[in-house]
Amino acid sequence: MLRFGPASGPAIIAALPLFEEANRTRAFVVTILRQLAQRGFAGALPDLPGMGESIIDTEQATLSHWIDAFKEAAAALRPTYETVHVVSFRGGALLDRDAIANTRWHLSPLPGVTVTRDLGRVALAAAKEAGTPFDPATLTSPGSAIDIAGNRLTRKLLAEIERAQPVSAGPLRTVRLKTDPLTADRHVDGAPLWRRSDPDNDAALAALLADDIAGWIASCGG
């Protein structure tokens, strides 16, 4: 885990978006955690099995692996810190359901079916460019692993993701961009960095979201 901030007090553990969206937003999430460190919060950003610097191939990962690993990462913080809080981004909100946390905060959370639909679009575009047939409806059907945007994913993993839903029980706060019509506790100005073709950052939005996270935790008794 990347670690930020003080060695005591409240701790925040972050779940990145899934797959290519994680690469596009990692620097942004790190900036948020650094902003929170300046506000007195410890931060942790784990690499789950098959993600980031993990030595496990993505093809070997399952959704249950990720959920269990995130749960254990959060539990590893609890003996040291007064409270543990989860912040999850996009598809990362599918991973925090079993973590024991004092509060949760989600940015633009997605149901699993939206994650797989987006992956199907990416796979279809790549197939068209290569001149090979592909039916997005078969993405979660039994079959061999498939390469999507540099990630080799099993059909089992994709089917697990498609059925998954973010946690809806509280204490939970949901924040979305103003361009997102879905229900949220707050909508904020900002560009969807996860849609950009290359990794990017937004220091102003990171500071705004760090303030929102800190305020939410404080309102829950922190």
Side-chain angles (χ1 to χ4, degrees):
M1 290 192 287
L2 289 179
R3 300 292 293 273
F4 307 85
S8 61
I12 293 171
I13 184 169
L16 288 168
L18 301 181
F19 310 123
E20 189 57 28
E21 288 192 2
N23 297 328
R24 297 174 187 146
T25 59
R26 187 180 181 90
F28 175 61
V29 174
V30 166
T31 300
I32 292 172
L33 291 173
R34 286 177 172 155
Q35 289 275 353
L36 287 163
Q38 294 175 10
R39 292 159 174 77
F41 295 91
L45 180 62
D47 280 333
L48 304 181
M51 298 183 183
E53 299 301 317
S54 168
I55 61 174
I56 296 173
D57 292 335
T58 307
E59 188 175 356
Q60 296 177 294
T62 67
L63 182 61
S64 59
H65 284 160
W66 290 342
I67 290 169
D68 288 346
F70 192 85
K71 174 185 176 181
E72 293 303 319
L77 300 173
R78 194 160 287 280
T80 304
Y81 296 95
E82 295 171 5
T83 54
V84 176
H85 308 268
V86 166
V87 299
S88 298
F89 300 81
R90 302 279 287 166
L94 302 175
L95 310 182
D96 70 42
R97 72 180 190 201
D98 289 347
I100 298 174
N102 295 77
T103 69
R104 283 176 169 78
W105 181 97
H106 289 167
L107 178 66
S108 301
L110 298 176
V113 68
T114 301
V115 175
T116 55
R117 186 169 61 238
D118 288 348
L119 289 172
R121 291 194 188 104
V122 172
L124 180 60
K128 286 181 176 178
E129 185 174 344
T132 57
F134 175 72
D135 180 0
T138 67
L139 192 66
T140 57
S141 301
S144 59
I146 182 172
D147 290 306
I148 304 178
N151 295 291
R152 188 159 180 80
L153 310 175
T154 65
R155 307 297 178 122
K156 177 184 177 182
L157 171 61
L158 294 167
E160 287 179 324
I161 291 172
E162 187 172 61
R163 295 190 297 268
Q165 291 285 342
V167 168
S168 57
L172 169 66
R173 179 172 173 82
T174 298
V175 176
R176 297 185 184 275
L177 302 182
K178 286 187 176 178
T179 52
D180 187 339
L182 295 179
T183 302
D185 297 296
R186 182 183 183 187
H187 285 81
V188 299
D189 287 319
L193 301 180
W194 48 85
R195 294 295 188 196
R196 297 195 172 165
S197 57
D198 295 305
D200 205 348
N201 208 340
D202 186 333
L205 179 59
L208 185 154
L209 296 179
D211 282 339
D212 193 90
I213 293 166
W216 163 240
I217 292 173
S219 74
C220 295

